[in-house]
């Protein structure tokens, strides 16, 4: 396969630099490493000798735990810190940690079978086809010695937990599972590589690709359902957030304040785990990270605090490949033809009887990335479709988060972003003790030329598929045959082919910045920002209802900050947990008027809606009725004019528009349907969320507040089906044609998760927090649902950060020495 026109990764020598030519960059240089072929019980490739990375005298770490099971982990070096982190995390979540490692190794089919709709086969095919382990070996070798020591210690601590719980292994849901296996630093790095990239999340769309069987026949798609799920995965559906950073002009004491409100899954391996990490004189940081990851990704130290929100940027670029009429395995690039590689991998597959055979699977890879198949984008005799992921080759996530945590000022914090440029798909919202507020979209996107961007904008008028992908999914489709659409290579960037730091969106203010998953444009409503790459998302366009609600709260439209307009952390908490719904605020009066004018059939519903206070609190009768009404619309209706809204979006009033009820007749029809859904569920029209919305913890229902994206509430809690999770303990069945309602109510599956509010006083950080789904994933733990009950009651807990507070709160102490291990 041709390798021209690509700046090679730093671990490969390069003598040329070019902006145009072959589109293959580090993406495929890495993917071209020989795919792994694993036989049953085959040995994994070896790792660097871990013995050389162990500190003199071995690992030594102290783990103190206070209320709610949050560990305060202290060590003298990063290796020992990792040792304690992993041991303590495994105590709460060994099952999810082991399952994540299983997936990263490409062993899901071996131990768990084909999976629903062959989902495990698809994932393993992509993991092996992309050779993620080889990518991880390159990534690990690129880390500095201190970071490698950290990962070595983390692996050793995880393995110690497994050794100490041999036999029954642990008391959680995976006790005795054969896939509970010891791990290496490469295993953990593979997991990080997998998390950073988007393509593995789209495994169903990649693994289902088939070449056309003849010149006129389209390729067969295995599962349209899984391919649609791949589209959701590409946009990180189920992951969102609100983040506020308040500067000196917006807080009562003139110091910085922060709201961290990530909306993440309540089940599985993308949960947060809370921790306090200390290396005296070097690191003192409190926060959380995803399971199985060392360090803190969202948190604070003595000088500053930060959070992340999922960016509206496009880390993937889609390409349409114009095929050779004589050969569907070739496509045009400029005046030449490029080959499509058929890449076959083999891995073990367990059938329903437990028998293991070797499964062979082929994926297809072009110079523009792997081919994929999605609705309206199948491989036929004329076109095929590929995707390039900007985070292939992004190996510095752990190093950047480490540098962020060690930063002693906001300037050093920004320097960490500029040095590593490694945030994969998130914005950063940060504040400092001296009252600075910072927004960065440091997510990693491809570097497209101005000409390529201009051509794409024109294509929205002439190419229906390009317009559809952008209008519905904000995905960018380019013509692969035009060399102008090749990503520009710049030797100054850490990840080849990506946008340099100075060209990424950045706003610093003394009042406030925020983000709620829309693009950078309105992250300071008082300083709307434009002019960045199309891949950083649209500007001067309608924002989500949740973004609009956040703007209104920050502008103190509801008086949460008091008469002085300056927030305290408790006023921030009050605003978030007010659970006001912007949709009801905008539309409920006109909906009631239309309902009253409709005749007798809907008068009971009219009465309930008139009494409804428009919030998503537990005891707000009418919330489920309004929810069933609004969720019968399409998501795009919440930002467009027509069916739902009458008054169009106005860029000069972005928080106020669109507005006013659109099609009244349609509104009444959907209201009738909403009434029918509640009737089918045998729920009264004046039911509340206390009756219907639950966090399910081992089959125990805990009513929780919060709403969904249709309702325009800041405190997001999305309903779904948690049946796949062993710790939910339910198998819900959909009620009628409702979008979310089941016979188990609205089971929460993602939303507000690790929430914290941060301020500073003369002694340093002052924080209060909640981990909504609680610290432990073990149903037998005292910390399996304790914070969930607090969340339901809107009770925040004080964070013990200063040593005096930690010492006062300690309930247990364990000192771990590797010399004492089994």
């Amino acid at each position: 396969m041709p390798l021209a026109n690509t700046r090679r990764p730093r671990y490969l020598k390069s003598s040329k630099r070019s902006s145009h030519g072959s589109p293959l960059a580090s993406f495929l240089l890495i993917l071209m490493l020989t795919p792994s072929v694993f036989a049953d019980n085959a040995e994994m490739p070896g790792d660097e000798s871990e013995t050389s990375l162990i500190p003199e005298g071995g690992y030594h770490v102290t783990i103190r735990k206070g209320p709610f099971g949050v560990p305060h982990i202290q060590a003298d070096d990063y290796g020992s810190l990792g040792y304690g982190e992993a041991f303590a995390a495994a105590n709460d979540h060994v099952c999810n940690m082991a399952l994540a490692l299983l997936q990263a190794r490409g062993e899901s089919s071996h131990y768990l079978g084909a999976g629903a709709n062959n989902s495990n086969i698809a994932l393993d095919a992509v993991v092996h086809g992309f050779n993620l382990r080889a990518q991880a070996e390159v990534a690990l070798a690129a880390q500095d010695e201190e970071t490698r020591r950290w990962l070595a210690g983390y692996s050793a601590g995880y393995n110690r937990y497994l050794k100490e719980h041999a036999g029954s292994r642990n008391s959680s849901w995976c006790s005795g599972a054969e896939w509970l296996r010891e791990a290496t630093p490469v295993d953990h790095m593979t997991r990080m590589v997998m998390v950073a990239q988007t393509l593995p999340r789209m495994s169903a769309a990649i693994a289902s690709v088939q070449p056309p069987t003849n010149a006129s026949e389209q390729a067969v798609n295995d599962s349209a359902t899984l391919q649609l799920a791949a589209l959701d995965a590409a946009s990180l559906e189920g992951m969102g957030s609100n983040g506020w950073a308040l500067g000196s002009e917006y807080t009562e004491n003139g110091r910085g304040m922060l709201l961290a409100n990530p909306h993440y899954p309540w089940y599985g391996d993308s949960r947060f785990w809370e921790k306090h990490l200390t290396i005296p004189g070097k690191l003192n940081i409190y926060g959380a990270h995803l399971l199985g990851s060392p360090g803190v990704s969202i948190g604070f130290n003595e000088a500053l605090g930060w959070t992340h929100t999922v960016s509206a940027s496009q880390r993937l670029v889609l390409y349409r490949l114009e095929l050779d009429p004589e050969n569907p395995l070739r496509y045009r690039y400029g005046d030449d033809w490029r080959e499509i590689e058929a890449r076959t991998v083999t891995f073990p597959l367990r059938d329903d009887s437990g028998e293991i055979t070797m499964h062979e699977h082929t994926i297809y890879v072009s110079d523009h990335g792997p081919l994929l198949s999605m609705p309206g984008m199948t491989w036929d005799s004329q076109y095929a479709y590929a995707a390039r992921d900007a985070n292939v080759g992004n190996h510095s996530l752990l190093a950047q988060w480490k540098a962020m945590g060690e930063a002693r000022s906001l300037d050093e914090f920004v320097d960490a972003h500029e040095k590593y440029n490694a945030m994969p798909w998130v914005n950063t919202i940060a504040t400092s003790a001296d009252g600075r507020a910072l927004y960065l979209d440091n997510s990693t996107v491809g570097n497209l030329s101005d000409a390529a961007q201009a051509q794409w904008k024109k294509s929205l008028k002439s190419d229906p598929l390009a317009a559809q992908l952008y209008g519905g999914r904000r995905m960018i489709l380019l013509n692969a045959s035009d060399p102008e659409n090749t990503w520009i290579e710049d030797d100054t960037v850490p990840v080849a082919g990506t946008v340099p730091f100075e060209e990424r969106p950045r706003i610093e203010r003394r009042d406030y910045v925020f983000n709620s998953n829309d693009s950078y444009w309105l992250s300071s409503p008082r300083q709307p920002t434009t002019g960045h790459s199309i891949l950083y998302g649209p500007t001067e366009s309608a924002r989500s209802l949740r973004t609009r609600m956040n703007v209104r709260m920050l502008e103190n439209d509801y008086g949460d900050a008091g008469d002085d307009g300056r927030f305290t952390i408790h006023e921030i908490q009050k605003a978030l947990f007010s659970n006001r719904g912007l949709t009801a605020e905008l539309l409920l009066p006109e909906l009631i008027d239309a309902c009253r004018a409709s005749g007798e059939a809907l008068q009971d519903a009219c009465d309930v809606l008139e009494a409804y206070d428009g919030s998503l609190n537990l005891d707000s009768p009418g919330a489920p009725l309004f929810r069933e009404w609004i969720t019968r619309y399409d998501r795009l209706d919440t930002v467009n004019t027509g069916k739902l809204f009458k008054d169009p979006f106005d860029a000069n009033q972005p928080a106020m528009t669109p507005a006013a009820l659109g099609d009244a007749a349609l509104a009444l029809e959907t209201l009738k349907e909403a009434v029918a859904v509640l009737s089918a569920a045998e729920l009264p029209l004046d039911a509340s969320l206390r009756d219907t919305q639950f966090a399910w913890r081992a089959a125990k229902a805990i009513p929780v507040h919060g709403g969904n994206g249709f309702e325009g509430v800041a405190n997001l809690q999305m309903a779904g089906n948690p049946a796949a999770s062993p710790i939910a303990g339910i198998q819900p069945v959909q009620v009628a044609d409702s979008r979310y309602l089941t016979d188990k109510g609205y089971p929460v599956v993602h939303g507000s998760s690790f929430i914290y509010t941060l301020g500073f006083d003369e002694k340093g950080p002052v924080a209060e927090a909640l981990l909504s789904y609680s610290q432990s994933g073990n149903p037998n733990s005292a910390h399996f649902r304790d914070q969930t009950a607090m969340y339901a009651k809107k009770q925040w807990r004080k964070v013990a950060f200063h040593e005096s507070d930690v010492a006062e709160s300690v309930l247990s102490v364990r000192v771990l020495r590797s010399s004492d291990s089994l």
Side-chain angles (χ1 to χ4, degrees), residues 92-133:
D92 286 326
H93 285 286
V94 67
C95 299
N96 278 326
M97 292 172 72
L99 195 59
L101 291 169
L102 177 82
Q103 293 168 348
R105 292 179 181 124
E107 297 176 342
S108 299
S109 303
H110 183 177
Y111 291 100
L112 305 177
N117 295 314
N118 293 326
S119 57
N120 288 341
I121 290 176
L123 180 59
D124 288 349
V126 167
V127 168
H128 292 306
F130 292 177
N131 206 351
L132 291 187
R133 187 172 183 84

Side-chain angles (χ1 to χ4, degrees), residues 29 88 116 160 195 200 231 275 326 569 587 668 671 698 790 814:
L29 284 168
R160 174 168 178 170
V195 167
L231 278 171
K275 47 189 160 178
E326 304 299 321
I569 63 171
L587 299 176
L668 292 176
L671 182 57
M790 290 186 68
R814 179 161 185 185

Side-chain angles (χ1 to χ4, degrees), residues 213-231:
T213 56
N214 59 55
S216 62
E217 183 179 353
Q218 283 193 336
V220 176
N221 299 312
D222 287 347
S223 172
T225 300
L226 283 179
Q227 290 166 20
L228 285 171
L231 278 171

Side-chain angles (χ1 to χ4, degrees), residues 221-549:
N221 299 312
D222 287 347
S223 172
T225 300
L226 283 179
Q227 290 166 20
L228 285 171
L231 278 171
D232 288 338
S235 59
L236 296 178
E237 185 75 14
M239 293 183 179
S241 301
N242 303 310
W244 298 5
L246 310 185
S248 58
E249 297 174 0
Y250 228 65
T251 65
E252 283 197 1
N253 69 358
R255 295 182 170 95
M257 287 186 184
L258 187 84
L259 168 65
N261 180 213
H263 303 152
Y264 266 57
W266 278 46
Y267 302 98
D269 54 26
S270 290
R271 284 176 46 146
F272 284 107
W273 186 71
E274 199 170 348
K275 47 189 160 178
H276 181 196
L277 307 178
T278 306
I279 300 175
K282 188 173 184 66
L283 179 74
N284 187 11
I285 187 168
Y286 190 105
H289 207 331
L290 300 182
L291 294 178
S293 301
V296 164
S297 61
I298 291 175
F300 63 92
N301 61 24
E302 298 98 328
L304 55 89
W306 77 91
T307 188
H308 294 305
T309 62
V310 173
S311 171
S313 66
Q314 291 298 317
R315 285 73 63 182
L316 283 186
V317 172
L318 302 177
Y319 286 95
R320 180 191 280 122
L321 280 54
E322 180 186 341
L323 301 178
D324 181 349
E326 304 299 321
N327 181 0
L329 289 173
R330 296 205 313 171
Y331 70 100
R332 184 178 298 282
Y333 179 72
D335 296 329
D336 299 323
W337 296 103
R338 297 286 185 251
E339 302 295 327
I340 296 173
E341 176 193 357
R343 185 175 296 175
T344 301
V345 294
T346 305
F347 49 86
L349 171 64
R350 184 186 300 263
D351 64 20
D352 291 341
S353 69
E355 182 179 353
I356 296 174
T357 58
M358 297 307 294
H359 175 79
E360 187 175 274
H361 203 100
T362 301
I363 65 172
Y364 296 85
V365 182
S366 75
D367 284 9
H368 287 77
L371 271 60
L372 43 74
S373 181
M374 295 187 293
M377 297 173 64
T378 51
W379 189 355
D380 59 24
S381 59
Q382 189 174 7
Y383 298 116
Y385 296 88
R388 182 174 176 185
D389 188 339
N391 281 297
V392 174
N394 183 356
H395 299 154
S396 299
L397 274 73
L398 181 58
Q400 179 166 335
W401 273 316
K402 176 174 175 284
M404 289 160 61
E406 292 176 351
R408 302 302 175 95
S409 69
L410 198 63
D411 288 337
E412 289 186 10
F413 184 81
V414 172
D415 289 344
H417 283 77
E418 183 170 10
K419 177 179 179 180
Y420 294 105
N421 237 18
M423 291 295 96
W425 31 260
V426 292
N427 301 290
T428 301
I429 297 91
T431 192
S432 59
D434 59 352
R436 297 164 65 185
L438 174 72
Y439 165 83
L440 283 170
D441 189 344
N442 195 223
S443 60
T444 302
V445 304
N447 194 5
L448 296 175
S449 69
D450 291 343
Q453 295 182 56
Q455 287 180 5
W456 170 79
K457 290 176 183 178
K458 290 180 181 179
S459 76
L460 296 180
K461 298 180 180 179
S462 60
D463 185 339
L465 180 57
Q468 178 185 348
L469 284 166
Y470 188 68
R473 297 281 182 169
R474 295 300 186 215
M475 301 182 85
I476 306 294
L477 177 66
L478 300 179
N479 177 9
S481 66
D482 187 349
E484 188 64 57
N485 292 325
T486 303
W487 296 5
I488 298 172
E489 304 295 341
D490 184 332
D491 290 327
T492 67
V493 299
V495 182
T498 61
V499 170
F501 176 78
E502 63 272 12
E503 297 177 22
R504 300 184 180 196
R506 175 181 174 183
I507 305 168
E508 184 175 332
R509 303 277 300 182
R510 284 285 179 172
D511 47 16
Y512 73 87
V513 294
F514 89 105
N515 188 264
S516 296
N517 308 121
D518 275 313
S519 77
Y520 65 94
W521 172 53
L522 217 62
S523 286
S524 169
R526 300 176 181 187
Q527 183 188 334
T529 304
T530 61
H532 294 280
S533 167
I534 57 171
L535 295 180
Y536 280 109
T539 61
E540 300 178 312
S541 60
R543 306 288 93 173
S544 73
L545 289 161
R546 180 161 54 86
T547 289
R548 294 167 64 185
M549 172 55 78

